[in-house]
Amino acid sequence: MKPIILAATSAFLLAAASGAHGEEAANNGTNPTKLTTVAEVYWERLDLTGGFRSDTLKLNYTVPLGERRDWSLRYRVPIASVDVLGDDSYGLGDASVRVTHVFGLSRQGGWVAQGEMIFDTASRDELGTGKNVLKGTLIKAWFLKDGAIFAPALVHSESLWGDDRRRDVRTTTMDFYYVPKLKDSRNLITVDPSINQDWENDRTFLGLAVTYGRVVGPAFGGTGIVTIKPQVFAGDGRPGDWGLEVGYKVLGF
């Protein structure tokens, strides 16, 4: 499976390189400084270490706030299955609420700050961290001259309280998000390499995710988009070897 994902990643990168173009694209959800109403359904499979796997259905709803729509709230409810304890049935994972604020916006770029509270709502131990976790993100977005977007992010998660029997959460990620400009604005590609540090377990690993999407047209009063995101992990501290996410979202309804 891993070679297939790597091949798909290479194909996406080649498509991005060959599709660069100068026209302005419609909002397809890839610009982190554009906040709009979004409803999303994603299914993700992760190949975990030790021969285990996790499957997660993610239900997200985002609503913009303020006259300038420079604030938003996102609600997430995950329905998960993790077979590490021999039970692969689905149950509620750790639900979360995220607030986003865009500031310093200009033609050259802008800043995005996010604060997310992830609650210990999992119905079984293996479906969550056992902790209530605060996750902070700071993004600097640059709008490049060829129409592409480069938006690196610094992300840190820290557990605040929870089950004393469970290990604390303390992780930092440096993410290098890139969106090439494509000839057909109905298509989208994002390239997302990352460096990840788990301070509690003293583990470091690398990640690479490439998302390909297609605007499929009007839906439910907005714009429907389908996506597929293969990802791979490297390093001794990696949680697994590969992952695959497929999804559908509606923007601007």
Side-chain angles (χ1 to χ4, degrees):
M1 185 70 178
K2 186 176 179 180
I4 295 175
I5 294 176
L6 288 171
T9 299
S10 299
F12 292 158
L13 291 172
L14 288 172
S18 63
H21 196 266
E23 71 178 42
E24 183 180 358
N27 182 17
N28 55 21
T30 59
N31 184 342
T33 68
K34 283 189 175 182
L35 305 182
T36 188
T37 306
V38 188
E40 304 167 284
V41 179
Y42 292 105
W43 179 83
E44 178 188 60
R45 167 161 290 185
L46 294 176
D47 171 63
L48 304 175
T49 55
F52 300 107
R53 74 168 189 270
S54 74
D55 296 327
T56 306
L57 178 68
K58 303 174 187 177
L59 307 174
N60 301 337
Y61 177 69
T62 304
V63 56
L65 303 172
E67 293 183 1
R68 296 188 296 177
R69 298 169 74 90
D70 54 355
W71 292 84
S72 73
L73 279 176
R74 189 198 70 182
Y75 305 92
R76 167 173 287 178
V77 177
I79 308 298
S81 166
V82 183
D83 64 353
V84 293
L85 298 181
D87 184 355
D88 61 357
S89 63
Y90 282 84
L92 179 63
D94 287 345
S96 64
V97 178
R98 186 181 75 187
V99 59
T100 296
H101 179 50
V102 176
F103 60 99
L105 191 60
S106 69
R107 292 185 178 181
Q108 288 73 43
W111 292 87
V112 182
Q114 296 176 335
E116 183 173 6
M117 193 67 207
I118 305 169
F119 299 98
D120 177 22
T121 58
S123 57
R124 300 195 306 273
D125 285 352
E126 70 273 20
L127 303 183
T129 65
K131 300 290 184 177
N132 296 277
V133 178
L134 179 62
K135 180 178 180 180
T137 302
L138 182 63
I139 303 169
K140 171 57 178 175
W142 281 282
F143 306 144
L144 306 182
K145 290 183 178 180
D146 63 356
I149 299 172
F150 179 53
L154 180 64
V155 184
H156 184 75
S157 299
E158 190 91 18
S159 55
L160 302 181
W161 76 91
D163 189 342
D164 292 337
R165 300 171 301 167
R166 306 287 296 276
R167 188 181 292 270
D168 287 337
V169 175
R170 191 161 59 97
T171 61
T172 301
T173 296
M174 189 65 198
D175 186 280
F176 302 92
Y177 179 80
Y178 176 71
V179 186
K181 180 74 171 181
L182 302 183
K183 182 184 298 184
D184 187 344
S185 61
R186 294 172 297 177
N187 294 328
L188 65 93
I189 291 178
T190 69
V191 183
D192 210 3
S194 63
I195 304 170
N196 307 270
Q197 177 66 44
D198 182 344
W199 302 102
E200 285 294 321
N201 296 293
D202 194 23
R203 295 177 179 176
T204 304
F205 67 94
L206 305 178
L208 174 62
V210 179
T211 302
Y212 174 76
R214 174 75 175 181
V215 177
V216 294
F220 306 102
T223 301
I225 300 174
V226 294
T227 60
I228 181 170
K229 181 173 76 174
Q231 54 187 321
V232 291
F233 308 102
D236 293 339
R238 67 186 184 276
D241 291 327
W242 59 268
L244 183 66
E245 179 187 88
V246 293
Y248 177 75
K249 60 183 175 181
V250 180
L251 276 71
F253 56 91

